[in-house]
Amino acid sequence: MAHAVKGVVAAGRGAKVSVETILVPDPGPGEALVKVQACGVCHTDLHYREGGINDEFPFLLGHEAAGIVEAVGEGVTGLEPGDFVILNWRAVCGSCRSCLRGRPQYCFNTHNAAQPMTLADGTPLSPALGIGAFAEKTLVHSGQCTKVNPKAPAEVAGLLGCGVMAGIGAAINTGGVTRGDSVAVLGCGGVGDAAIAGARLAGARTIIAVDLDDTKLRWAERFGATHTINAREQDVVEAIRELTEGNGADVVIDAVGRPETFQQAFYARDHAGLAVLVGVPTPDMKLELPLIDVFSRGGAVKSSWYGDCLPSRDFPMLIDLYLQGRLDLGAFVSETIGLGDVEKAFEDMHHGRVLRSVVVL
């Protein structure tokens, strides 16, 4: 039986999104039907609307979500109706070369639901990141459901499904930030502020926030930044060096994803420091560095894909930290909105007026 629900659809490149009736099938083998309770408005959804991911329109947008399992399909174990879950887009396969080598956080063979969700006329929808959670219900692979403590409100728990996890993971998992480290974060939107929060959790001594916007720099201080740099007013590399005894930071995280910011990250790190790219570049961007500088500086350059997270390990742990009062996930939520407000939320996000808008259903 198909479930007729409301969902937010991007019909074509650059077109405004609309709320449509969509049909969600009952779960088949390995699948789960989830009643979505909340879903964050992430920049990736805007990339989908703009055709920046691919051109497989129409898209059912939304992926940063939490909700309640309504039904599971044949063969599903460890998950049952009534479970409170965060949806993830890294449902590890367990059998690829990364998984078999004990590195499931690098699995590139992740699972999605096999059955399509459709418009009322039968047109198949492409769910964003295999999730499609700007909808009252969605169909996912059971491995995309990570059970967490139901005491956490859905509007904060769902943020771990993408942006907040990407930032925290960039600091803790990819960057390996530890006690006494100095950390600089370039770009203080949701992902950058999450990286700041992650560095604080890990015990970093100096946490430097860099942005072009003073409002965002004030937001960064709430998450643990000890120093701020307005990149319009100061040379970023020199300013970071001045705040780190002339050495550069142990870890520099680029949460913007542009060639110029990554060059800043590369040169603002200590001589054996680490530059981490977590901001998403566009396919046409190219990076040029003198190879002698790469050779002579030591350290490392890494990309952080989904914060190198393992949802089954990281989501429950971070929810526990939230419930203990050690991780303020609620501070990321600028506003709660309805399905019909997603287009305005895209505009507010584009202009830097919000940290995170969250659709509550």
Side-chain angles (χ1 to χ4, degrees), residues 204-278:
R205 172 175 51 90
T206 301
I207 305 174
I208 304 164
V210 182
D211 205 281
L212 300 168
D213 186 326
D214 285 333
T215 297
K216 289 186 176 181
L217 292 173
R218 288 194 295 272
W219 292 347
E221 290 176 326
R222 298 199 326 238
F223 291 98
T226 59
H227 303 79
T228 61
I229 297 170
N230 187 315
R232 293 188 190 278
E233 301 170 358
Q234 295 176 270
D235 181 283
V236 170
V237 174
E238 290 304 315
I240 291 173
R241 290 191 176 280
E242 287 176 10
L243 293 170
T244 54
E245 301 175 344
N247 300 317
D250 296 307
V251 181
V252 185
I253 299 170
D254 177 7
V256 180
R258 295 187 58 85
E260 53 268 39
T261 54
F262 194 73
Q263 282 189 351
Q264 290 172 336
F266 179 84
Y267 287 111
R269 65 196 174 104
D270 200 350
H271 67 87
L274 174 63
V276 176
L277 175 65
V278 66

Side-chain angles (χ1 to χ4, degrees), residues 69-84:
V69 175
E70 281 205 347
V72 297
E74 180 183 349
V76 173
T77 59
L79 190 68
E80 59 186 28
D83 285 341
F84 178 59

Side-chain angles (χ1 to χ4, degrees), residues 213 215-216 219 345-355:
D213 186 326
T215 297
K216 289 186 176 181
W219 292 347
F346 282 153
E347 181 181 347
D348 289 342
M349 177 176 61
H350 178 71
H351 290 288
R353 293 193 285 258
V354 294
L355 193 54

Side-chain angles (χ1 to χ4, degrees), residues 36-94:
V36 179
Q37 294 182 313
C39 185
V41 181
C42 177
H43 221 287
T44 303
D45 292 304
L46 183 56
H47 284 323
Y48 271 104
R49 193 200 72 173
E50 296 301 306
I53 306 294
N54 58 56
D55 59 357
E56 297 172 4
F57 292 96
F59 290 112
L60 175 59
L61 299 181
H63 61 279
E64 197 178 71
I68 302 294
V69 175
E70 281 205 347
V72 297
E74 180 183 349
V76 173
T77 59
L79 190 68
E80 59 186 28
D83 285 341
F84 178 59
V85 297
I86 299 172
L87 301 182
N88 74 80
W89 43 273
R90 176 170 284 160
V92 299
C93 71

Side-chain angles (χ1 to χ4, degrees), residues 61 63 107 112 118 142-143 147 181 226 235 259 293 351 353 360:
L61 299 181
H63 61 279
C107 177
N112 293 316
T118 70
S142 61
K147 291 193 294 186
D181 278 351
T226 59
D235 181 283
D293 287 353
H351 290 288
R353 293 193 285 258
V360 175

Side-chain angles (χ1 to χ4, degrees), residues 5 27 38 50 52 76 140 169 186 200 221 226 254-255 257 283 285 297 303:
V5 301
E50 296 301 306
V76 173
V140 295
L186 313 185
R200 182 183 188 180
E221 290 176 326
T226 59
D254 177 7
M285 290 180 179
R297 293 179 60 83
S303 61

